[in-house]
Amino acid sequence: MKEECALDGACEWKPHYTSSFSDFQLPIFKCDTCGLQAQFPRPKAEELYTEEYYTGSEGFTYKDERKTEFYDRYVWIARLKNIGKWKSSGNFLDIGCSFGGFLNCAKELGFSPFGVEVSAYAAQACTARGIKVWNSHFLDADLPENFFDVITLVEVIEHLENPRAVFDKLEKILKPGGLLVLQTANFEGWQAKDSGPGYHYYLPGHLYYYSESNLRKILANRNFESVITYLGVDFSLIAKLKKSRGSFKSWKDYLRWISITKYHFLSKIKKSGFPLTSSMVIYAVKKGET
């Protein structure tokens, strides 16, 4: 793990604990130098990202977004409009693009969409939308350098092995002035710290666990500037509430709007310098001409 460190490589990995969320019991290590956490040993990607994972029938599953795309579009469009404050057109790469719903929205708004997807099952569905997809691991994909205007990794960066190589490659393939968007859990947030080994983000497919401070350092070391952190998410509560209706089964489910609203506003509050929740989205611009 030491050679994969995305910072200075001076990692001192020590056993942190065995996770207790669900029945996964994952071995979690933590670096005393940079605060990065990691699962080790790790499962193999081909054992994780099966068709069952993408259709919602695994215990640590990804929901089948094709069933709720009408509602998910509220969040996708809201995020793209926020991205549009930096970039409103150009080559748009979504890493971990799944079935391509988000990229299809980007295409509708004027971007040229591209995707990377490890699952052949999901990549085929994305390609059927007329989107260019590299069906491979991100580090194996033959991506052109200085080509993409926007790169998004939405709940993906934690799935990728070798953070050093991953962030080096992200810097190479993004154009100068291009925008990088990362959504992941913030392990400095009180939600993660208070939950300890029981935090729900400890899942078999999540290999590395980041914080706002170590992500900022990683990006600063790789020619990124104008780093902005959105506590919670980078779109409005209204978009989030509209999306949630995709999982509703009866009118009683609207009561969930109370907890969704509470979490949304709590995510904007800090205590002792750290946010109350552990949701975050980071925007970073690669130095150079805009």
Side-chain angles (χ1 to χ4, degrees), residues 39-53:
Q39 179 190 159
F40 192 82
R42 310 164 187 149
K44 296 180 179 179
E46 53 269 24
E47 297 173 356
L48 294 171
Y49 306 119
T50 61
E51 182 175 330
E52 288 73 23
Y53 174 84

Side-chain angles (χ1 to χ4, degrees), residues 183-253:
Q183 179 173 349
T184 192
N186 177 11
F187 276 73
E188 288 174 332
W190 288 104
Q191 181 185 10
K193 291 193 287 189
D194 289 343
S195 298
Y199 187 38
H200 70 269
Y201 219 69
Y202 290 123
L203 296 173
H206 292 181
L207 309 181
Y208 281 91
Y209 306 92
Y210 297 88
S211 67
E212 179 186 5
S213 64
N214 58 38
L215 274 176
R216 281 179 169 270
K217 291 176 183 177
I218 289 169
L219 294 168
N221 288 349
R222 284 167 177 79
N223 208 31
F224 285 92
E225 60 184 358
S226 302
V227 179
I228 297 173
T229 301
Y230 292 91
L231 297 177
V233 288
D234 52 327
F235 46 80
S236 70
L237 172 62
I238 296 299
K240 190 186 296 185
L241 293 176
K242 287 180 176 179
K243 174 190 175 181
S244 69
R245 292 170 56 212
S247 61
F248 287 3
K249 299 293 190 299
S250 74
W251 66 268
K252 294 181 181 179
D253 288 324

Side-chain angles (χ1 to χ4, degrees), residues 71-204:
Y71 298 97
D72 293 342
R73 284 175 58 89
Y74 288 113
V75 160
W76 292 335
I77 294 294
R79 168 162 284 152
L80 287 164
K81 287 182 176 179
N82 196 60
I83 287 172
K85 297 174 183 177
W86 283 265
K87 293 288 181 180
S88 57
S89 63
N91 297 326
F92 192 112
L93 177 67
D94 185 33
I95 299 170
C97 61
S98 186
F99 301 109
F102 181 44
L103 281 176
N104 198 53
C105 288
K107 184 178 180 181
E108 291 174 9
L109 294 184
F111 290 99
S112 299
F114 300 86
V116 174
E117 175 53 55
V118 69
S119 163
Y121 173 72
Q124 184 177 14
C126 187
T127 301
R129 295 178 182 260
I131 296 169
K132 165 66 177 176
V133 179
W134 284 268
N135 176 208
S136 72
H137 295 275
F138 170 61
L139 289 177
D140 295 333
D142 186 17
L143 301 169
E145 294 186 10
N146 297 310
F147 180 75
F148 299 104
D149 296 275
V150 180
I151 301 175
T152 55
L153 297 95
V154 179
E155 305 286 354
V156 168
I157 196 69
E158 63 277 0
H159 289 262
L160 302 182
E161 295 190 38
N162 200 339
R164 178 191 293 272
V166 166
F167 282 98
D168 285 348
K169 186 167 183 174
L170 288 171
E171 192 272 332
K172 287 180 181 178
I173 64 176
L174 189 65
K175 286 182 182 179
L179 177 68
L180 176 66
V181 177
L182 301 170
Q183 179 173 349
T184 192
N186 177 11
F187 276 73
E188 288 174 332
W190 288 104
Q191 181 185 10
K193 291 193 287 189
D194 289 343
S195 298
Y199 187 38
H200 70 269
Y201 219 69
Y202 290 123
L203 296 173

Side-chain angles (χ1 to χ4, degrees), residues 13-18 27-32 37-38 196-197 202:
W13 290 99
K14 296 180 180 179
H16 193 36
Y17 39 53
T18 299
I28 305 298
F29 286 69
K30 185 176 181 180
C31 172
D32 284 346
Q37 295 184 38
Y202 290 123

